[in-house]
Amino acid sequence: MKNISITIISCLLILNGCSQKSIIEDIQIVQTIGYDYIDNDSIQGSAALSIYGQSEAQSTVKNVSISTTAHSVNDMKNRLQETSSKPIRNGKLESVLYNKELAEKGVYEFIDYYSRDSSIGRDIQLLIVDGSSESLLSTSYEIAPTVTFYLRDLIKQNLEQNLPTVNFHEFLYSYYGAGMDPFMPLIQQREGEIDLVGLALFQDDRLIDQIGMDDLFIFKMLYESVQNGIYEFTIAEEGRETSEQPNSNYIVTEAIGSNVNYTIKNAKHSPEIKIEVSLKGKINEAVSLKKKENSRRLIDQVEVKMEKELEEKGLLLLKKLQEQEIDPLRIGDRARAVTRGWNEQDWKEVYPTATFSLNIDVDITQTGISK
């Protein structure tokens, strides 16, 4: 037994001696990388590197970027390596950015490349940049020490509100799955900040449309459960259906729980899709609710107005997706689950003719406003 133990320990020591170690000060850690379209033969790649150091007072980290051009994503890593003073490692990669023009041409090459890289986790974020990825990554931002930290916090806090669940795993699932299309967050650099401006919608690997921030809550409500979503609209103090009057008020509601249910009939021929949403929420801000005598009456008005507005906007969004022949809400996958002999190609032919009905039940359970 003693000899066996010695043999095992010796083997472990040998293996440990053969493993490659990297000292953090001796390497360049790529945490965010971006790609920009140049022409049909070239792409530009930019990498945001976190440089770690030590000052007299504390450990430091700063953001630097390097950029180069290549003919393919496979060649890009070598080209970036040539511009770096230290070996590049991407095991800590958190975000991959594509500018809109590149995404409109197709991102299959990039998705395939990263899906084959075992060092990259499936929880990294894929983002579309309305503008230049290189400019976004090379800029220093006062709000965060590095652009990687900035993007991480931006997506995290929006995922807790109106942004639907997104990451590399979700994109791959929708990309390779039947009866659904993927999407990515859409961001933009402006006035020294990075803003989330909507959702980029794909058909297969090509970006073909987008939805803005005004529809993000509605999209998430139709896509999955909402726990902390924020929805703002206006309502007249006496219930008049206009936001143009001087006595109209902004109502800020927070969803504290929702469920969505799809009932799909005749999926093979003339799909009839019924969507039911139950939404519980609270009012975070409303001028009229500070008048105690109006509170209950206004809450009733808010529920009715919110139901009507969400139903109207929800149906418009569904029609928009249907006209573009894209299915980011995974309705085809939902139909497949309840339809014997479902076929993806047949579904693509009947999906544009599907009829939708949408019923939303809003229950305002609390106001969250001190009176």
Side-chain angles (χ1 to χ4, degrees):
M1 177 64 71
K2 183 177 180 180
N3 291 335
I4 294 175
S5 299
I6 292 174
T7 302
I8 293 173
I9 292 172
S10 299
C11 291
L12 291 174
L13 289 173
I14 292 171
L15 290 172
N16 187 56
C18 295
S19 63
Q20 182 181 6
K21 293 183 178 179
S22 296
I23 300 173
I24 195 169
E25 289 85 358
D26 296 335
I27 61 175
Q28 305 278 35
I29 299 176
V30 177
Q31 293 182 303
T32 303
I33 192 165
Y35 299 99
D36 293 297
Y37 177 82
I38 296 179
D39 54 43
N40 290 335
D41 295 321
S42 304
I43 55 174
Q44 181 179 44
S46 305
L49 311 173
S50 294
I51 307 300
Y52 293 87
Q54 190 79 28
S55 68
E56 293 183 1
Q58 61 184 357
S59 297
T60 60
V61 58
K62 65 177 181 178
N63 180 79
V64 299
S65 66
I66 56 176
S67 180
T68 189
T69 60
H71 297 301
S72 69
V73 66
N74 288 286
D75 188 41
M76 185 62 70
K77 184 177 180 180
N78 293 331
R79 293 293 184 92
L80 288 172
Q81 197 79 256
E82 293 170 358
T83 68
S84 175
S85 61
K86 298 177 182 179
I88 289 178
R89 300 287 183 268
N90 62 5
K92 296 292 185 180
L93 190 65
E94 294 191 21
S95 304
V96 181
L97 282 54
Y98 310 98
N99 82 320
K100 282 183 66 176
E101 189 175 6
L102 179 64
E104 288 167 354
K105 306 293 183 182
V107 295
Y108 170 77
E109 177 187 1
F110 304 90
I111 299 303
D112 182 67
Y113 172 81
Y114 284 108
S115 66
R116 295 174 186 274
D117 191 337
S118 60
S119 70
I120 294 175
R122 291 298 184 264
D123 59 346
I124 66 170
Q125 288 296 338
L126 308 181
L127 308 170
I128 298 298
V129 180
D130 187 357
S132 167
S133 297
E134 188 277 332
S135 174
L136 186 147
L137 294 182
S138 62
T139 301
S140 296
Y141 303 93
E142 294 183 2
I143 198 171
T146 70
V147 67
T148 297
F149 293 165
Y150 194 166
L151 291 171
R152 177 199 304 167
D153 293 342
L154 175 70
I155 298 302
K156 180 181 178 182
Q157 69 97 1
N158 278 281
L159 282 171
E160 294 172 354
Q161 295 187 13
N162 289 5
L163 186 64
T165 304
V166 286
N167 54 38
F168 191 26
H169 170 77
E170 291 293 327
F171 187 94
L172 288 175
Y173 182 78
S174 291
Y175 177 72
Y176 288 109
M180 43 188 155
D181 290 301
F183 52 82
M184 297 184 196
L186 178 64
I187 60 175
Q188 187 177 66
Q189 179 190 30
R190 50 192 181 194
E191 298 181 358
E193 297 180 347
I194 303 173
D195 295 336
L196 176 70
V197 294
L199 210 59
L201 308 177
F202 283 71
Q203 185 180 68
D204 297 324
D205 72 320
R206 294 185 304 107
L207 188 159
I208 66 167
D209 205 350
Q210 66 187 62
I211 60 174
M213 295 299 292
D214 290 344
D215 286 331
L216 212 53
F217 175 84
I218 297 169
F219 182 94
K220 183 168 185 173
M221 176 191 70
L222 297 174
Y223 182 72
E224 62 187 0
S225 297
V226 181
Q227 299 302 321
N228 299 293
I230 302 297
Y231 187 71
E232 180 182 276
F233 61 99
T234 57
I235 187 170
E237 192 166 330
E238 296 302 323
R240 289 186 288 269
E241 294 294 326
T242 176
S243 60
E244 301 297 329
Q245 299 183 17
N247 65 338
S248 64
N249 297 288
Y250 282 101
I251 307 292
V252 180
T253 60
E254 177 182 350
I256 57 177
S258 79
N259 288 294
V260 58
N261 180 65
Y262 283 75
T263 302
I264 302 174
K265 298 180 179 180
N266 302 323
K268 291 184 177 181
H269 305 290
S270 300
E272 299 174 12
I273 303 167
K274 180 180 180 181
I275 308 172
E276 296 175 292
V277 178
S278 59
L279 176 66
K280 289 187 177 182
K282 65 179 182 180
I283 298 176
N284 285 342
E285 187 59 52
V287 174
S288 291
L289 281 179
K290 295 179 180 178
K291 302 175 183 179
K292 187 173 182 179
E293 68 275 10
N294 292 337
S295 296
R296 185 62 256 174
R297 175 175 56 80
L298 185 58
I299 289 174
D300 292 340
Q301 292 177 14
V302 167
E303 290 177 345
V304 173
K305 174 70 183 294
M306 193 171 175
E307 288 172 352
K308 181 179 179 181
E309 187 168 302
L310 288 175
E311 287 173 357
E312 290 176 350
K313 290 186 174 182
L315 288 171
L316 287 175
L317 177 59
L318 288 164
K319 184 174 181 60
K320 170 187 173 75
L321 301 177
Q322 192 179 27
E323 289 175 347
Q324 294 285 359
E325 297 185 12
I326 54 177
D327 191 3
L329 294 172
R330 300 177 176 176
I331 298 173
D333 184 54
R334 301 175 196 269
R336 179 193 59 78
V338 297
T339 306
R340 187 185 299 273
W342 182 91
N343 178 275
E344 183 178 24
Q345 187 56 46
D346 292 341
W347 171 256
K348 288 181 178 180
E349 293 177 2
V350 299
Y351 172 61
T353 67
T355 58
F356 290 94
S357 64
L358 177 59
N359 180 64
I360 299 176
D361 178 42
V362 175
D363 180 18
I364 302 298
T365 61
Q366 52 185 300
T367 64
I369 297 177
S370 58
K371 302 180 177 66

